[in-house]
Amino acid sequence: MIPLSWYLIFSAALFCIGLYGVLSRKNSVAILMGVELMLNSCTINLLAFWHYYVQVRQALQMSPLVFAAIIFTVAAAETAVGLALIISAYRKRQSIVAGDLDELKG
Amino acid sequence: MNTQLLLWLIPLPPLLAFGVIVLGANRRNGLSTALALGGVGLSFLASMVVFFRVIGIEDLSEHPIGSAVNWLPTADTWLKVGVQIDPLSAVTLFFVAWTILMIFLYSVGYHNFGQPKGDHDVPGLPPHGATVKDGHGSHKVMSIEPMYARFFALISLFAFAMYLLVVSDNLLTLFVGWEIMGLCSYLLIGFWYAKDSARKAAVKAFLTTRVGDMFMMIGLAALYSITGSLSYQDIFGNEAVMHALATTTSPVFGLSWAGFIGLLIFLGVVGKSAQFPLHVWLPDAMEGPTPVSAMIHAATMVSAGVYLAIRSFPLISAGWEQGAPLTVPMVVLTAVGAFTALFAATIALAQNDIKRVLAYSTISQLGYMIAALGMGAYVAATFHLVTHAFFKALLFLGSGSVIHGMEHGVLHTGAHIDPQDMYNMGGLRKKMPRTFWTFLIGGFALSGFPMVTAGFWSKDEILSGAFNGGHIFVFVVLALSAFLTAFYTMRQITLTFLGKPRTKAAEHAHETPWTMTVPLMVLAVFAVSAGWAGIPEAFPGLGGLLPNWFEEFVGSMLHNVHGEVHHSLVPLFTSLVVALGGLLLGWLVYRSVDRADAADPMAEPLGLAFVAFKKKYGIDELYQLIFIRPAEWFAETFTYKWVDKRLLDGILHSIARLGILLGGWLRRSFDLPVINGGGNGIARGTRELGSAMRGIQSGRIQQYMIAAIAVLALIGLAFYYLVFMA
């Protein structure tokens, strides 16, 4: 039986990796991947707590599963939009380096 | 319809006509004519129905027909307004309805309805004629009045006011109608407002009558505050009220309240009916179109003044019995009336303008009525009011017809002569036969031509009232003015119609259209027949053949004055002699005038007196000197230059200067440092802060994110330590 804390530690590690990726990578696609990692670490958290709840209460609970499915869907949609944006930015500026996209500089 | 309702409805159609013409039909002459004529036609029909319904009623004077409604709430009671008809208003309604209808019909022809538009006509001036081209080339014809619809609108309003005045049952609505007529007379006298003289005449008429109206209003206010009512029945029909008014003493000259109020109201009458010394406006008012002269100065407005005087006779005669000495207000009335009668008659002797002669004769005849009323000859005054309205309307309309015919001649010949000057006329008898015969009837009625004309009967009654009442001096004055009346009337007829034409224009004068001559004929019938209603019973020969209906009907208005009037033959012979003598003499003297520039045959024998007559005794100049000049000086020098320019403007300028000083100080010490400085400071601060913060805004999403996470972490730590650990 894997204890709840393992899941949570794994989830936190995954989140930090994602965060690091978002903050440090120059490639926009890589940043998007980091965002996905962070999102998925949240899903892991959600499922871990669901599992824990079912074990403790011995009762069936479906809503967290549905919730997790919705998050997947949202993540897929988000990736699609994000990639579309990146492609659009690339067409305009011939670059997908996040540091170059600084038109809002004050 | 019952009589009460009809009475309410009588004044309304002309008012509606006025409103509709002003709002909707002011460019459409045909429609305006139809509306105006329809309006007065309806009023006329209603008036006739009412008149013939009430003349048979025995006790109409004690129980007048009418109704009243609550109108204005005063402290603990209501001010009522209403309508009523009693013998006096019935006969007034009769002549008012007839003359107004005839004048309206006449106006259609007078303002050249159906004629083409003028070549150079402008609003505010009389029409100048139009050029018409036909098979025979072009020639000049009369042109339509440029402000045709406006005329009918105004005169409809006028008719409304007169009807309102006659049917009202109280002095308040009477006063309302009275003032509307004042306004209308101002507008109509100044109808041709582009003429300077017309404008001046309009202002003069308005202001002069205003003098009287002010006193009248004081009188009404006094009456209301004493009796708490203005209704005829409540005051004149109530013996207790009348007795109280007659016996309490007012603070002025020791007169009774009744006498004092009567005198104040009489001052209003003096203004409206153009009695000396407020007569000056009436001759000048001839500047208006002739139907207006007939309307205002013969049939309605001046009659309204006498109507009011007759109405307020109970006040004027309060405490008087038949045969007793006259009360003070009655003496005043008699003196003013008799003096005006003679005074105006003498002026009329020397006037050459055909309308002016009639204007002065109107003043003189109104003086007759006032004098008659002053001597207590109530019925005679009313009778003369009725007959005079008919024959004076006839004369005015006749003179308008003459002027119209002369204008036709003037247009035809192109000569520049005054179409109103009688010396330019002559021989119009053959050119304008219908006008001549009707004018002759009117003139004879005015002169009191014996037996056949209405004027004879009414004038004879006034003379006999004076003689039998023992007022011999008044009798002589009135007889003398009757003589002068006959004389100047015949002068007018002779100069205008008899003899040979004295100018080219007179040779080419032309009879006027049927819309003008038919009213003349109708009025001529009344100028003769109106007298038959009041032939005295005691008249030798004719008396008693017809019942003296007028005396019975109107005489019943006097509740407490019932005296046997014995008839004497002296006044009868006097009126015969003065009328026939005046007419004959007038013809003898003036038939020899054969040139337009001839001197007046009376100028030589009368000498200086004639000059005085001609100059109207210089009353206008006197008023100019003692009232108008000082008033102008007061307005121009005192009020404008001193008070307005120096005092008021000085104060205002000082206030302005003070304001500027205060403003400057505030600007320097508050506005510039605090408001401006503060505003600039905020702006500068914002700008500096902006440039300082500018570096943070790198545009790099990852830096923002690091910052966001750092802040979030800080907040998380703070939260952790402050909330969970505390």
Side-chain angles (χ1 to χ4, degrees):
Chain A
M1 200 70 207
I2 303 169
L4 176 66
S5 55
W6 289 26
Y7 289 108
L8 296 183
I9 290 163
F10 168 66
S11 163
L14 200 59
F15 188 86
C16 288
I17 293 165
L19 186 62
Y20 176 77
V22 167
L23 294 181
S24 63
R25 303 299 299 212
K26 287 195 167 173
N27 191 325
S28 295
V29 178
I31 293 174
L32 196 62
M33 287 160 74
V35 171
E36 289 304 313
L37 281 183
M38 286 159 78
L39 202 59
N40 284 342
S41 73
C42 293
T43 319
I44 289 168
N45 248 8
L46 183 69
L47 291 174
F49 281 117
W50 166 73
H51 184 68
Y52 179 71
Y53 178 83
V54 170
Q55 273 187 337
V56 172
R57 286 286 179 90
Q58 295 291 323
L60 195 60
Q61 177 62 269
M62 287 303 288
S63 342
L65 293 178
V66 176
F67 199 4
I70 291 173
I71 293 176
F72 285 141
T73 320
V74 169
E78 184 218 314
T79 313
V81 173
L83 282 174
L85 280 172
I86 290 165
I87 290 167
S88 164
Y90 177 74
R91 282 193 184 147
K92 229 168 169 137
R93 322 207 22 153
Q94 306 300 322
S95 162
I96 52 169
V97 178
D100 291 349
L101 305 176
D102 60 350
E103 279 204 329
L104 288 176
K105 186 174 190 297
Chain B
M1 249 190 280
N2 65 13
T3 312
Q4 275 98 335
L5 187 59
L6 265 182
L7 277 174
W8 282 104
L9 291 179
I10 284 177
L12 287 185
L15 181 66
L16 286 178
F18 164 73
V20 175
I21 294 175
V22 164
L23 294 178
N26 54 358
R27 306 246 173 248
R28 300 167 67 183
N29 295 338
L31 186 61
S32 304
T33 313
L35 281 168
L37 279 179
V40 290
L42 282 176
S43 293
F44 170 80
L45 286 179
S47 307
M48 287 304 117
V49 169
V50 167
F51 177 74
F52 285 108
R53 271 193 201 163
V54 299
I55 50 171
I57 301 174
E58 285 281 325
D59 57 348
L60 187 64
S61 51
E62 282 86 17
H63 305 287
I65 298 175
S67 62
V69 293
N70 289 340
W71 183 48
L72 197 67
T74 52
D76 46 356
T77 168
W78 284 87
L79 194 57
K80 289 185 166 212
V81 295
V83 293
Q84 93 169 37
I85 190 145
D86 58 14
L88 177 59
S89 44
V91 294
T92 314
L93 195 59
F94 180 78
F95 81 74
V96 164
W98 272 102
T99 47
I100 286 183
L101 184 70
M102 289 304 125
I103 290 166
F104 269 64
L105 182 60
Y106 178 92
S107 305
V108 177
Y110 182 83
H111 286 302
N112 300 321
F113 181 67
Q115 296 288 103
K117 277 213 166 91
D119 303 333
H120 313 290
D121 286 355
V122 285
L125 282 178
H128 290 105
T131 313
V132 170
K133 288 200 174 73
D134 57 13
H136 312 288
S138 67
H139 58 103
K140 292 280 261 182
V141 296
M142 307 276 248
S143 58
I144 190 166
E145 163 64 43
M147 296 188 298
Y148 185 87
R150 174 188 158 100
F151 179 84
F152 275 97
L154 292 177
I155 207 165
S156 291
L157 183 64
F158 193 100
F160 156 71
M162 188 65 200
Y163 276 120
L164 177 71
L165 185 142
V166 176
V167 298
S168 101
D169 79 335
N170 62 79
L171 288 164
L172 187 70
T173 29
L174 177 139
F175 190 65
V176 171
W178 178 278
E179 289 298 340
I180 297 177
M181 277 200 282
L183 169 72
C184 288
S185 81
Y186 166 78
L187 290 169
L188 285 168
I189 293 168
F191 182 68
W192 287 320
Y193 52 76
K195 290 201 307 192
D196 192 45
S197 53
R199 282 202 302 274
K200 282 194 174 137
V203 172
K204 189 173 180 181
F206 195 69
L207 290 184
T208 314
T209 49
R210 192 117 321 270
V211 175
D213 291 352
M214 230 209 34
F215 288 107
M216 177 175 164
M217 212 154 91
I218 298 173
L220 294 189
L223 193 60
Y224 183 75
S225 56
I226 293 173
T227 63
S229 166
L230 285 173
S231 140
Y232 304 150
Q233 277 315 96
D234 290 357
I235 300 171
F236 305 144
N238 187 333
E239 299 232 342
V241 171
M242 282 312 295
H243 185 73
L245 279 174
T247 47
T248 47
T249 312
S250 76
V252 184
F253 305 132
L255 285 166
S256 70
W257 270 112
F260 178 53
I261 293 168
L263 272 185
L264 284 173
I265 292 180
F266 174 63
L267 278 170
V269 175
V270 166
K272 210 62 150 188
S273 289
Q275 294 299 289
F276 183 83
L278 296 182
H279 66 282
V280 288
W281 66 271
L282 203 145
D284 285 23
M286 297 300 130
E287 288 293 336
T290 304
V292 174
S293 309
M295 185 93 166
I296 300 179
H297 314 117
T300 56
M301 197 166 97
V302 293
S303 300
V306 178
Y307 171 80
L308 175 65
I310 297 173
R311 200 38 108 183
S312 54
F313 183 70
L315 283 176
I316 291 159
S317 68
W320 177 74
E321 294 286 326
Q322 186 87 37
L326 301 180
T327 62
V328 177
M330 290 172 88
V331 172
V332 173
L333 255 72
T334 312
V336 169
F339 177 75
T340 309
L342 185 61
F343 167 83
T346 55
I347 296 180
L349 285 181
Q351 301 301 315
N352 287 347
D353 185 315
I354 185 167
K355 276 169 80 181
R356 251 171 210 278
V357 175
L358 292 175
Y360 279 106
S361 109
T362 304
I363 298 176
S364 165
Q365 297 303 309
L366 293 167
Y368 256 90
M369 299 170 208
I370 297 292
L373 198 64
M375 292 178 297
Y378 183 92
V379 178
T382 318
F383 194 25
H384 200 51
L385 175 67
V386 176
T387 57
H388 174 259
F390 281 121
F391 62 68
K392 192 47 67 69
L394 167 61
L395 284 172
F396 266 118
L397 296 185
S399 75
S401 177
V402 167
I403 296 166
H404 214 68
M406 284 296 291
E407 277 170 352
H408 190 277
V410 169
L411 275 182
H412 192 87
T413 56
H416 289 285
I417 58 163
D418 181 3
Q420 304 200 7
D421 191 332
M422 296 190 293
Y423 274 76
N424 290 332
M425 301 174 188
L428 295 181
R429 173 177 84 259
K430 297 207 181 75
K431 307 284 176 197
M432 313 176 73
R434 285 191 283 273
T435 307
F436 166 63
W437 284 108
T438 49
F439 198 93
L440 192 71
I441 293 172
F444 277 12
L446 172 62
S447 320
F449 191 81
M451 310 302 166
V452 289
T453 61
F456 169 72
W457 299 110
S458 54
K459 214 177 264 191
D460 176 55
E461 258 195 68
I462 292 181
L463 287 177
S464 89
F467 187 79
N468 295 324
H471 313 289
I472 301 300
F473 181 68
V474 180
F475 171 73
V476 171
V477 169
L478 291 184
L480 186 57
S481 24
F483 172 75
L484 293 178
T485 307
F487 182 78
Y488 68 66
T489 308
M490 200 56 205
R491 168 181 185 261
Q492 190 174 33
I493 293 172
T494 313
L495 285 177
T496 309
F497 291 103
L498 305 182
K500 290 193 169 54
R502 285 186 291 273
T503 56
K504 286 263 185 222
E507 280 174 28
H508 290 95
H510 202 281
E511 183 61 286
T512 44
W514 69 269
T515 45
M516 292 173 77
T517 50
V518 165
L520 294 180
M521 292 177 212
V522 172
L523 289 172
V525 170
F526 281 111
V528 173
S529 64
W532 299 338
I535 299 175
E537 304 262 337
F539 196 84
L542 292 171
L545 288 183
L546 288 168
N548 190 353
W549 171 82
F550 200 89
E551 166 103 37
E552 269 175 35
F553 189 57
V554 177
S556 66
M557 290 289 290
L558 297 175
H559 299 308
N560 42 11
V561 184
H562 290 294
E564 274 302 303
V565 180
H566 44 273
H567 210 270
S568 158
L569 287 182
V570 176
L572 170 63
F573 281 119
T574 315
S575 33
L576 280 177
V577 168
V578 294
L580 292 177
L583 287 171
L584 185 67
L585 204 61
W587 181 67
L588 285 176
V589 171
Y590 283 95
R591 69 185 170 143
S592 60
V593 176
D594 53 358
R595 291 193 334 274
D597 54 352
D600 196 295
M602 292 306 289
E604 190 88 358
L606 287 176
L608 270 181
F610 189 82
V611 178
F613 298 163
K614 184 112 192 151
K615 300 265 180 214
K616 310 152 202 165
Y617 295 99
I619 300 273
D620 274 330
E621 286 74 9
L622 183 70
Y623 285 179
Q624 187 78 27
L625 196 68
I626 61 174
F627 293 121
I628 299 172
R629 288 267 185 74
E632 277 176 354
W633 176 87
F634 188 78
E636 180 76 30
T637 309
F638 180 77
T639 316
Y640 176 64
K641 282 197 181 143
W642 295 355
V643 176
D644 208 29
K645 277 253 168 192
R646 293 198 191 151
L647 189 66
L648 289 181
D649 282 6
I651 292 172
L652 287 177
H653 284 161
S654 316
I655 292 174
R657 210 165 291 135
L658 196 70
I660 289 172
L661 284 177
L662 186 70
W665 177 78
L666 276 176
R667 177 174 167 73
R668 279 189 307 280
S669 59
F670 178 74
D671 200 31
L672 285 180
V674 179
I675 306 282
N676 282 14
N680 287 346
I682 290 170
R684 201 182 307 116
T686 313
R687 195 168 59 232
E688 281 166 8
L689 190 68
S691 11
M693 304 274 280
R694 199 175 159 193
I696 302 174
Q697 190 93 354
S698 64
R700 297 185 176 209
I701 191 84
Q702 283 160 323
Q703 288 182 6
Y704 295 170
M705 227 161 149
I706 291 168
I709 287 164
V711 170
L712 204 63
L714 278 177
I715 292 175
L717 276 176
F719 202 72
Y720 181 74
Y721 281 110
L722 292 181
V723 177
F724 289 112
M725 305 303 284

